[in-house]
């Protein structure tokens, strides 16, 4: 297969948006060093894609699965915007989306610039004036009723809505006796839709983009938005009677498929015109150590200019985890053939490939280096760049009732040419357990593992070549999300548990991590409940001005949902009360919360509620019609 090292522009994921809105030496590699290469021309690209896809074809089509629905959000929280005591004409102080990095905004259900609130309710875009506490406008969005959950990005007077339709696959029928292996019925793949809305006056749609691809991630920074999609080849697999006959027929379908089967179409409609775009052949690259059959596409839009040519680039590899900080963008995934937990008695290579891209300049991202680490990531919080070096937290081995071979590690990767090589690592964290949460803050790392108790590990990463375990705290239960406080403490949201490891209910813990050994200062438990914030940090609100902390919770017994409001100080957690929404014709579960001025706003499927942030006295209920 023809190829060359791809250094100039083999970019991949990161985003932005905004117009003028508010120990030790590196291990010796056992395989080719990880890097990306570009294809010489369309013929070489076509040949490589056919070979890689044919290798993965079986009697029922491709082995590669396609996840359905929007992924768990890339996440964390930014501090308040604007100065204290906003000057005339400035918006009041307000919270923003709880994103992992402050320079990389993430799509969410609700956005605000302090002057207006934009959210999505039942397929409609809803605008709220927080000053008058009224719904000012409602816009029916194209494709309403899609199966996925829509997300928003806000930049000045432009709102980008990201949505995905994920059709439900029919159940395969049991073959009749003697009929052989019949192919699984095929259904259309997911459809991702981007809708650009102008809200400078009455909201109006100014452009859409659709593609038969799965939505992975999006990031907003400055005037640019980048959207990451993943697609499988658009090939009909005929199957046949018997495994060998079906496999051979499916391989023939791959060999005869045109190049366009692997290159998804991005259809843009704006200004009464429609145009189709694909990734150019010279903008597609692949990992040097293997060829993939899936296609990662990264689209770039300037929301000020509208949805025009998405300037797509592609990588023939899988992708599942995206991390970016405004300067660098990392895409990570397990390569083909890797499995999350090794089957008993069978050896398989457990590793994650990581690709780094420079997104600090203008225009398309620039590929700079790749590397590989043993084990698998929990989520994007398992990755963090500091001072040009990438920290990666992974778990390896089996995590099963009768097998406790799992353990976790933290790697520090440094760039050397086009390689991300190991500068140092620390192993042996949580033997027999797996990672439940990770947070890197400056030169310190925090890792939570769990089976029966919650070991909170504190890591000193000042010397990249010699990461050190400096402290460990074991308490019942675990923290699934970790968040820094203004006093330098650490908040943990997760589950309490008994001595056997059985979870008993929501637990919010406050940790002092200033000394060599961490210690828990206080905790608040809610028996029989759980919270969306455990797996979706966008649902978590911490307001540093007052220590106000909001965590949505739901009863495991009767499903009753409310928002738990806490006050977090330098040494304690106290309960202020709860906020509830009328149940209406839906469950009334609170999904998000935000602060504007002295008002706490909460949002559910049924409506938005304004509550005094100090007294928790309700001031307005805005039902969605």
């Amino acid at each position: 297969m023809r190829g060359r090292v791809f250094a100039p522009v083999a970019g991949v994921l990161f985003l932005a948006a905004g117009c003028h809105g508010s120990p030790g030496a590196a291990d010796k590699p056992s395989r080719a060093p990880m890097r990306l290469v570009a294809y010489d021309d369309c013929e070489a690209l076509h040949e490589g894609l056919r070979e890689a896809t044919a290798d993965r074809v079986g009697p029922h089509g491709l082995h590669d699965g396609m996840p359905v629905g929007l992924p768990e959000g890339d996440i964390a929280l930014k501090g308040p915007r604007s100065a204290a005591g906003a000057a005339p004409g400035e918006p009041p102080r307000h919270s923003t989306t709880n994103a992992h990095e402050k320079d990389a905004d993430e799509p969410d259900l609700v956005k605000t610039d302090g002057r207006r609130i934009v959210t999505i309710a039942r397929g409609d875009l809803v605008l709220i004036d927080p000053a008058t506490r009224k719904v000012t406008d409602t816009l029916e969005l194209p494709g309403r009723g899609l199966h996925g959950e829509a997300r928003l990005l806000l930049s000045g007077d432009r709102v980008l809505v990201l949505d995905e339709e994920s059709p439900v696959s029919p159940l395969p029928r049991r073959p009749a006796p003697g009929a052989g292996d019949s192919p699984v019925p095929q259904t259309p793949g997911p459809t991702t839709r981007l809708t650009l809305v102008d809200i400078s006056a009455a909201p109006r749609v100014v452009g859409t983009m659709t593609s038969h691809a799965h939505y992975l991630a999006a990031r907003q920074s400055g005037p640019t938005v980048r959207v990451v999609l993943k697609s499988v080849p658009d090939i009909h697999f005929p199957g046949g009677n018997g495994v060998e006959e079906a496999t051979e027929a499916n391989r023939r379908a791959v060999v005869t498929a045109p190049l366009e089967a692997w290159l998804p179409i991005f259809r843009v409609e704006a200004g009464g015109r429609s145009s189709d775009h694909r990734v150019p052949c010279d903008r597609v690259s692949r990992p040097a150590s293997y060829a993939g059959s899936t296609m990662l596409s990264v689209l770039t839009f300037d929301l000020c200019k509208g949805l025009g040519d998405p300037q797509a680039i592609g990588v023939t590899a899988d992708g599942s985890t995206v991390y970016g900080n405004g300067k660098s963008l990392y895409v990570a995934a397990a390569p083909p053939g890797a499995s999350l937990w090794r089957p008993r008695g069978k050896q398989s290579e457990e590793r994650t490939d990581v690709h780094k891209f420079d997104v600090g300049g203008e225009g398309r991202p620039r590929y700079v280096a790749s590397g590989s680490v043993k084990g698998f990531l929990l989520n994007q919080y398992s990755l963090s760049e500091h001072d040009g070096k990438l920290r990666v937290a992974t778990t390896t081995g089996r995590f099963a009732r009768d097998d406790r071979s799992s353990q976790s590690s933290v790697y520090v990767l440094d760039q050397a040419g086009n390689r991300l090589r190991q500068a140092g690592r620390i192993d042996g964290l949580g033997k027999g357990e797996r990672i439940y949460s990770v947070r890197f803050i400056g030169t310190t790392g925090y890792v939570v593992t769990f089976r029966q108790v919650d070991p909170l590990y504190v890591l000193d990463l000042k010397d990249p070549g010699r990461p050190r375990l400096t402290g460990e705290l074991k308490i019942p239960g675990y923290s699934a999300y970790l968040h820094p406080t203004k006093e330098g403490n650490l908040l943990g949201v997760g589950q309490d548990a008994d001595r056997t490891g059985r979870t008993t209910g929501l637990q919010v813990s406050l940790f002092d991590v200033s000394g060599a050994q961490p210690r828990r200062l206080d905790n608040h438990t809610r028996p029989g409940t759980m919270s969306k914030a455990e797996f979706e940090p966008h649902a978590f609100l911490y307001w540093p001005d007052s220590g106000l902390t909001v965590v949505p919770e739901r009863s495991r017994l009767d499903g009753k949902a409310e928002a738990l409001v806490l006050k977090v100080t330098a040494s304690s957690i106290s309960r202020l009360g709860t906020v509830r929404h009328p149940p209406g014709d839906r469950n009334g579960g609170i999904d998000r919360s935000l602060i504007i001025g002295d008002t706490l706003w909460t949002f559910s499927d049924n409506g938005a509620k304004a509550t005094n942030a100090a007294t928790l006295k309700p001031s307005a209920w805005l039902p969605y019609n």
Side-chain angles (χ1 to χ4, degrees):
M1 187 184 303
R2 290 172 287 176
R4 65 188 187 279
V5 175
F6 192 69
V9 182
V12 158
L13 314 73
F14 183 52
L15 314 220
C19 294
H20 33 270
S22 11
D27 292 342
K28 293 181 179 179
S30 59
R31 57 194 182 93
M34 275 303 307
R35 66 187 192 282
L36 293 183
V37 298
Y39 292 92
D40 290 332
D41 51 34
C42 289
E43 181 182 350
L45 172 61
H46 194 188
E47 177 187 349
L49 288 168
R50 285 188 301 193
E51 290 179 2
T53 306
D55 287 343
R56 295 182 176 86
V57 164
H60 301 304
L62 276 174
H63 300 312
D64 296 344
M66 174 61 69
V68 180
L70 287 171
E72 171 183 333
D74 296 331
I75 6 196
L77 169 119
K78 301 180 188 177
R81 295 283 180 89
S82 71
E90 291 185 357
R93 287 175 64 83
H94 59 279
S95 60
T96 56
T97 298
N98 187 21
H100 191 175
E101 299 282 3
K102 65 182 180 63
D103 294 325
D105 197 14
E106 300 166 7
D108 197 21
L109 298 172
V110 182
K111 293 287 180 180
T112 186
D113 57 8
R115 293 188 176 94
R116 54 198 166 187
I117 299 170
V118 187
T119 186
I120 288 190
R122 307 175 188 181
D124 293 337
L125 187 72
V126 178
L127 273 68
I128 296 172
D129 181 354
T132 62
R133 292 169 168 74
K134 292 182 179 180
V135 173
T136 58
D137 290 287
T138 300
L139 174 68
E140 182 176 327
L141 294 168
R144 63 179 298 174
L146 299 182
H147 299 295
E149 274 192 318
R151 298 288 190 270
L152 306 172
L153 289 171
L154 173 65
S155 176
D157 291 324
R158 295 292 176 94
V159 176
L160 185 65
V161 182
L162 306 97
D163 203 355
E164 180 186 273
E165 178 182 7
S166 300
V168 178
S169 300
L171 293 175
R173 291 175 294 185
R174 184 181 299 276
D181 263 342
S182 299
V184 176
Q186 297 184 11
T187 58
T191 298
T192 293
R193 180 189 302 272
L194 308 183
T195 304
L196 186 61
V197 181
D198 188 307
I199 59 171
S200 58
R204 61 187 181 92
V205 175
V206 293
T208 63
M209 191 225 71
T210 55
S211 181
H212 294 300
H214 169 64
Y215 169 82
L216 275 186
R219 294 291 184 278
Q220 173 179 330
S221 177
T224 306
V225 170
R226 303 188 197 273
V227 180
V228 184
L229 307 177
K230 181 169 73 172
S231 57
V232 296
D234 184 14
I235 299 173
H236 172 72
F237 296 110
N241 291 326
V243 173
E244 292 185 3
E245 178 183 333
T247 300
E248 182 57 32
N250 291 339
R251 284 177 177 166
R252 286 197 300 270
V254 170
V255 171
T256 58
L259 173 59
E260 288 73 22
W262 284 268
L263 302 176
I265 295 176
F266 311 112
R267 177 157 297 169
V268 177
E269 298 183 21
R273 298 181 179 181
S274 177
S275 57
D276 289 346
H277 307 270
R278 296 184 191 266
V279 182
C281 296
D282 62 353
R283 296 296 183 181
V284 178
S285 55
R286 65 170 180 83
S289 59
Y290 67 89
S293 57
T294 42
M295 177 75 68
L296 287 174
S297 301
V298 187
L299 316 182
T300 300
F301 299 100
D302 184 331
L303 296 191
C304 300
K305 299 177 181 177
L307 300 181
D309 183 348
Q311 304 180 61
I313 61 173
V315 177
T316 61
D318 203 351
S320 55
T321 303
V322 178
Y323 163 75
N325 58 11
K327 295 181 180 179
S328 300
L329 182 283
Y330 294 87
V331 184
S339 57
L340 183 57
W341 302 114
R342 182 176 66 252
R344 177 181 293 277
K346 182 180 180 181
Q347 296 296 321
S348 62
E349 189 175 19
E350 300 168 332
R351 72 178 194 272
T352 296
D353 292 341
V354 183
H355 307 296
K356 177 182 179 179
F357 301 86
D358 180 357
V359 293
E362 297 181 356
R364 302 176 189 264
R366 182 178 65 88
Y367 164 72
V368 290
S370 294
S372 183
V373 295
K374 294 180 180 179
F376 295 88
L377 309 180
L378 174 67
N379 52 32
Q380 70 150 320
Y381 284 89
S382 298
L383 300 167
S384 173
E385 185 186 77
H386 180 76
D387 215 10
K389 295 175 176 58
L390 179 68
R391 291 82 62 87
V392 187
T394 68
T395 298
T396 58
R398 283 181 57 83
F399 179 76
R401 179 173 299 179
D402 58 346
D403 190 334
R404 300 196 173 191
S405 63
S406 62
Q407 67 99 34
S408 297
S409 306
V410 171
Y411 294 82
V412 180
L413 303 182
D414 197 4
Q415 183 181 337
N418 61 2
R419 291 186 57 195
L420 295 176
R421 65 178 184 181
Q422 180 183 306
R425 80 162 188 255
I426 183 168
D427 297 315
L429 304 178
K431 291 183 178 179
E433 302 169 343
R434 70 171 177 87
I435 289 177
Y436 270 69
S437 60
V438 182
R439 196 69 192 244
F440 294 98
I441 303 173
T443 58
T444 305
Y446 304 95
V447 178
V448 170
T449 63
F450 177 73
R451 181 182 288 269
Q452 290 179 310
V453 295
D454 167 6
L456 169 63
Y457 297 101
V458 181
L459 306 175
D460 182 348
L461 305 171
K462 292 186 182 70
D463 183 350
R466 293 183 177 273
R468 296 187 305 117
L469 176 63
T470 60
E472 176 182 348
L473 173 66
K474 291 188 177 182
I475 56 175
Y478 63 86
S479 297
Y481 174 66
L482 299 172
H483 193 91
T485 71
K486 67 177 181 179
E487 295 89 1
N489 293 326
L490 197 64
L491 270 175
V493 180
Q495 286 284 307
D496 196 5
D498 60 23
R499 293 182 179 179
T500 68
R502 183 181 65 88
T503 57
T504 59
L506 176 65
Q507 177 173 249
V508 181
S509 300
L510 179 65
F511 301 102
D512 178 356
V513 291
S514 61
Q517 288 291 338
R519 60 190 183 100
R520 187 163 69 176
L521 299 170
D522 200 1
N523 71 305
H524 184 81
T525 58
R526 304 282 286 178
T529 65
M530 60 183 300
S531 175
K532 292 179 181 178
E534 297 175 42
F535 55 88
E536 171 55 284
H538 287 154
F540 175 85
L541 171 65
Y542 169 74
W543 185 238
D545 283 17
S546 62
L548 184 81
T549 301
V550 183
V551 182
E553 66 173 353
R554 181 178 295 276
S555 170
R556 292 174 172 174
L557 184 62
D558 58 13
K560 183 175 69 175
E562 58 190 9
L564 172 65
V565 185
L566 306 170
K567 181 177 179 62
V568 176
T569 69
S571 59
S572 67
I573 301 174
S574 57
R575 178 181 180 273
L576 295 181
T578 59
V579 175
R580 295 181 184 177
H581 286 198
D585 59 350
R586 299 200 176 196
N587 58 35
I590 293 174
D591 295 307
R592 298 292 187 269
S593 56
L594 58 85
I595 290 282
I596 300 179
D598 59 1
T599 301
L600 169 64
W601 286 87
T602 51
F603 304 85
S604 67
D605 286 338
N606 301 317
K609 188 173 186 178
T611 303
N612 184 285
T615 65
L616 296 191
K617 180 180 179 179
S619 57
W621 165 246
L622 284 62
Y624 301 143
N625 297 323

